[in-house]
Amino acid sequence: MQRRILAQIKSSNPNYRFDLYSVDWSTGTASLTGFGGKASEVKFATDLKAGDWGLRVTSTGTVGESYSIHMNAASPADTPINGKAAKLTSYSNNLLYTVIEYPNGDIKVNGTQIANTTVANPNLEWSREFNFSSGGSYSSRSHDVSDVRVKSITTPVKYTSNYASSDNAVLIVLNADTLFTYFESAYSSGNPPYHSSSFVDTSGRTTPRRLDFIDMAGDPDILVYDLDTKKVIDFVSNLNYYYAKGIEPQPTVVYYN
């Protein structure tokens, strides 16, 4: 299967470079492919075919310093659409993880499909509900994120919060037109009884509503997606009542190298 390849040689010696060769064992020859780069350059190509390959490290100057080579060929290639090819949107320091957006809008992390940037993503919907009752009183609060529109996705992280945690998650930055709904209500029996309800979110605007340019101008609204369970586990946003009001501490995020 044809693959996309991401590679880098790291060294304190800027004269080092690597080059990729195609190996033909039947003739005992290795042919230069034209794919390669100097120290610290991250090189990306879309047409690594099935076969045998070899790397050659050379120097245009001095030698003797150590080096390391990092490479990722986990993502499958694709056919360009209207002349557009897939683009590398982010990668980890050691190239172990890559995020690639394809011409049709698909976003894949190391070849695994997560979302699409051109349509809604029903697999990314999230909700959280709280209900409490005691005697003749009750209170409730709910958040719902649906019709999810995606702007970008990060490489894998370790995510920790009071509400949910994951050792293998990605952060999904939401785009405008994502639908958000907030609702709270309370009731207390008494004389007279008390009842209140509201669809107003923490920004002071009435929901259900779609995220717009005002939301996009502020801190990003982020869904946390667990790669193991393939489910959204949290919503990190100023629209999340628990984070906005400081009821729960802000989550911690550690990016993997």
Side-chain angles (χ1 to χ4, degrees):
M1 177 185 293
Q2 191 166 331
R3 295 280 180 173
R4 299 191 174 277
I5 180 174
L6 182 69
Q8 180 186 40
I9 180 172
K10 292 185 177 182
S11 176
S12 61
N13 188 339
N15 298 310
Y16 284 168
R17 67 168 290 116
F18 78 94
D19 290 284
L20 184 69
Y21 285 76
S22 175
V23 178
D24 185 341
W25 295 107
S26 64
T27 61
T29 59
S31 303
L32 190 63
T33 64
F35 179 79
K38 298 181 293 185
S40 299
E41 286 184 332
V42 175
K43 305 301 289 187
F44 179 60
T46 63
D47 54 357
L48 182 68
K49 298 177 175 61
D52 293 319
W53 305 90
L55 284 175
R56 183 187 184 194
V57 177
T58 58
S59 176
T60 58
T62 61
V63 296
E65 289 79 11
S66 62
Y67 65 86
S68 61
I69 294 177
H70 303 266
M71 183 178 295
N72 186 314
S75 297
D78 73 301
T79 302
I81 300 175
N82 297 326
K84 295 183 179 180
K87 58 183 179 180
L88 179 70
T89 59
S90 61
Y91 52 87
S92 58
N93 288 337
N94 63 5
L95 309 189
L96 183 61
Y97 305 107
T98 63
V99 181
I100 295 176
E101 182 176 346
Y102 290 80
N104 66 350
D106 285 346
I107 299 182
K108 298 181 180 181
V109 177
N110 274 23
T112 299
Q113 171 77 24
I114 305 297
N116 186 286
T117 60
T118 64
V119 297
N121 296 268
N123 61 308
L124 301 181
E125 294 182 355
W126 176 85
S127 64
R128 179 178 179 181
E129 296 185 3
F130 167 82
N131 295 283
F132 175 79
S133 61
S134 177
S137 302
Y138 79 83
S139 61
S140 66
R141 178 174 293 108
S142 65
H143 301 72
D144 288 278
V145 180
S146 59
D147 205 20
V148 175
R149 311 294 171 139
V150 173
K151 180 182 292 185
S152 62
I153 299 177
T154 69
T155 55
V157 301
K158 177 181 174 63
Y159 178 83
T160 305
S161 76
N162 277 17
Y163 177 68
S165 298
S166 171
D167 290 331
N168 189 27
V170 291
L171 308 182
I172 300 175
V173 179
L174 298 181
N175 212 344
D177 290 331
T178 297
L179 186 63
F180 176 68
T181 304
Y182 175 80
F183 177 70
E184 65 178 32
S185 65
Y187 173 82
S188 178
S189 59
N191 188 18
Y194 168 81
H195 178 261
S196 68
S197 63
S198 174
F199 282 94
V200 177
D201 64 28
T202 56
S203 70
R205 294 195 284 169
T206 301
T207 67
R209 68 177 183 85
R210 294 189 181 274
L211 302 188
D212 58 19
F213 70 96
I214 297 176
D215 300 289
M216 297 301 102
D219 292 334
D221 303 297
I222 295 171
L223 291 174
V224 182
Y225 181 85
D226 187 290
L227 292 169
D228 296 328
T229 62
K230 296 180 173 55
K231 293 181 180 180
V232 175
I233 60 173
D234 205 357
F235 178 48
V236 185
S237 168
N238 289 329
L239 297 176
N240 187 321
Y241 180 89
Y242 303 100
Y243 295 137
K245 300 299 184 180
I247 296 171
E248 295 178 359
Q250 290 295 316
T252 60
V253 173
V254 178
Y255 284 84
Y256 294 121
N257 288 325

